[in-house]
mmCIF file of all heavy atoms in Angstrom:
data_model
loop_
_atom_site.group_PDB
_atom_site.id
_atom_site.type_symbol
_atom_site.label_atom_id
_atom_site.label_comp_id
_atom_site.label_asym_id
_atom_site.label_seq_id
_atom_site.Cartn_x
_atom_site.Cartn_y
_atom_site.Cartn_z
ATOM 1 N N VAL A 1564 5.273 -8.798 -7.929
ATOM 2 C CA VAL A 1564 5.184 -9.201 -6.516
ATOM 3 C C VAL A 1564 6.500 -8.833 -5.823
ATOM 4 O O VAL A 1564 6.501 -8.302 -4.711
ATOM 5 C CB VAL A 1564 4.904 -10.720 -6.400
ATOM 6 C CG1 VAL A 1564 5.113 -11.204 -4.979
ATOM 7 C CG2 VAL A 1564 3.498 -11.043 -6.888
ATOM 8 N N HIS A 1565 7.592 -9.110 -6.521
ATOM 9 C CA HIS A 1565 8.902 -8.678 -6.032
ATOM 10 C C HIS A 1565 9.306 -7.408 -6.773
ATOM 11 O O HIS A 1565 9.381 -7.393 -8.009
ATOM 12 C CB HIS A 1565 9.937 -9.786 -6.228
ATOM 13 C CG HIS A 1565 9.677 -10.963 -5.339
ATOM 14 N ND1 HIS A 1565 9.816 -12.265 -5.745
ATOM 15 C CD2 HIS A 1565 9.261 -11.008 -4.046
ATOM 16 C CE1 HIS A 1565 9.510 -13.076 -4.730
ATOM 17 N NE2 HIS A 1565 9.170 -12.331 -3.685
ATOM 18 N N GLU A 1568 11.843 -6.967 -9.801
ATOM 19 C CA GLU A 1568 11.686 -7.807 -10.994
ATOM 20 C C GLU A 1568 10.881 -7.051 -12.047
ATOM 21 O O GLU A 1568 9.769 -7.425 -12.406
ATOM 22 C CB GLU A 1568 11.065 -9.148 -10.583
ATOM 23 C CG GLU A 1568 12.006 -9.917 -9.640
ATOM 24 C CD GLU A 1568 11.364 -11.107 -8.920
ATOM 25 O OE1 GLU A 1568 10.269 -11.524 -9.306
ATOM 26 O OE2 GLU A 1568 11.981 -11.598 -7.953
ATOM 27 N N ARG A 1622 13.207 -5.779 -2.822
ATOM 28 C CA ARG A 1622 12.376 -6.930 -3.188
ATOM 29 C C ARG A 1622 10.989 -6.921 -2.527
ATOM 30 O O ARG A 1622 9.975 -7.242 -3.143
ATOM 31 C CB ARG A 1622 13.128 -8.197 -2.770
ATOM 32 C CG ARG A 1622 12.321 -9.492 -2.807
ATOM 33 C CD ARG A 1622 13.210 -10.622 -2.271
ATOM 34 N NE ARG A 1622 12.458 -11.814 -1.925
ATOM 35 C CZ ARG A 1622 12.370 -12.902 -2.704
ATOM 36 N NH1 ARG A 1622 12.929 -12.909 -3.882
ATOM 37 N NH2 ARG A 1622 11.725 -13.967 -2.305
ATOM 38 N N ASP A 1639 5.507 -12.854 -1.265
ATOM 39 C CA ASP A 1639 5.431 -14.241 -1.711
ATOM 40 C C ASP A 1639 5.785 -15.242 -0.604
ATOM 41 O O ASP A 1639 5.929 -16.434 -0.857
ATOM 42 C CB ASP A 1639 6.330 -14.456 -2.941
ATOM 43 C CG ASP A 1639 5.780 -15.544 -3.856
ATOM 44 O OD1 ASP A 1639 4.547 -15.706 -3.907
ATOM 45 O OD2 ASP A 1639 6.583 -16.245 -4.509
ATOM 46 N N LEU A 1691 4.113 -13.800 -12.719
ATOM 47 C CA LEU A 1691 5.387 -13.541 -13.401
ATOM 48 C C LEU A 1691 6.448 -13.023 -12.423
ATOM 49 O O LEU A 1691 6.179 -12.133 -11.609
ATOM 50 C CB LEU A 1691 5.185 -12.530 -14.533
ATOM 51 C CG LEU A 1691 4.195 -12.939 -15.625
ATOM 52 C CD1 LEU A 1691 4.072 -11.838 -16.678
ATOM 53 C CD2 LEU A 1691 4.604 -14.257 -16.283
ATOM 54 N N HIS A 1692 7.615 -13.594 -12.524
ATOM 55 C CA HIS A 1692 8.771 -13.194 -11.710
ATOM 56 C C HIS A 1692 9.992 -13.176 -12.629
ATOM 57 O O HIS A 1692 9.909 -13.436 -13.817
ATOM 58 C CB HIS A 1692 9.009 -14.211 -10.587
ATOM 59 C CG HIS A 1692 8.018 -14.134 -9.472
ATOM 60 N ND1 HIS A 1692 8.323 -13.667 -8.230
ATOM 61 C CD2 HIS A 1692 6.702 -14.454 -9.421
ATOM 62 C CE1 HIS A 1692 7.254 -13.703 -7.448
ATOM 63 N NE2 HIS A 1692 6.253 -14.186 -8.152
ATOM 64 N N SER A 1693 11.150 -12.892 -12.045
ATOM 65 C CA SER A 1693 12.404 -13.113 -12.741
ATOM 66 C C SER A 1693 13.423 -13.515 -11.662
ATOM 67 O O SER A 1693 13.156 -13.312 -10.487
ATOM 68 C CB SER A 1693 12.846 -11.846 -13.483
ATOM 69 O OG SER A 1693 13.327 -10.868 -12.600
ATOM 70 N N GLN A 1771 4.239 -20.308 -11.725
ATOM 71 C CA GLN A 1771 5.084 -19.125 -11.597
ATOM 72 C C GLN A 1771 6.082 -19.178 -12.752
ATOM 73 O O GLN A 1771 6.772 -20.179 -12.936
ATOM 74 C CB GLN A 1771 5.829 -19.128 -10.263
ATOM 75 C CG GLN A 1771 6.561 -17.825 -10.031
ATOM 76 C CD GLN A 1771 7.442 -17.826 -8.775
ATOM 77 O OE1 GLN A 1771 8.649 -17.988 -8.857
ATOM 78 N NE2 GLN A 1771 6.832 -17.620 -7.619
ATOM 79 N N LYS A 1773 9.424 -17.666 -14.184
ATOM 80 C CA LYS A 1773 10.593 -16.820 -13.945
ATOM 81 C C LYS A 1773 11.177 -16.486 -15.308
ATOM 82 O O LYS A 1773 11.678 -17.364 -16.009
ATOM 83 C CB LYS A 1773 11.608 -17.541 -13.071
ATOM 84 C CG LYS A 1773 11.176 -17.619 -11.601
ATOM 85 C CD LYS A 1773 12.230 -18.340 -10.802
ATOM 86 C CE LYS A 1773 12.522 -17.636 -9.496
ATOM 87 N NZ LYS A 1773 13.596 -18.342 -8.762
ATOM 88 N N PHE A 1782 18.244 -9.368 -12.374
ATOM 89 C CA PHE A 1782 17.116 -8.444 -12.202
ATOM 90 C C PHE A 1782 17.291 -7.176 -13.045
ATOM 91 O O PHE A 1782 16.365 -6.405 -13.205
ATOM 92 C CB PHE A 1782 16.978 -8.036 -10.730
ATOM 93 C CG PHE A 1782 16.763 -9.213 -9.823
ATOM 94 C CD1 PHE A 1782 17.647 -9.485 -8.793
ATOM 95 C CD2 PHE A 1782 15.680 -10.056 -10.006
ATOM 96 C CE1 PHE A 1782 17.460 -10.577 -7.964
ATOM 97 C CE2 PHE A 1782 15.482 -11.153 -9.187
ATOM 98 C CZ PHE A 1782 16.385 -11.407 -8.158
HETATM 99 ZN ZN1 LIG B 285 10.144 -12.984 -7.616
#
Side-chain angles (χ1 to χ4, degrees):
V1564 167
H1565 292 139
E1568 296 167 13
R1622 168 184 165 100
D1639 210 31
L1691 300 179
H1692 286 251
S1693 74
Q1771 188 186 101
K1773 286 180 136 182
F1782 301 121

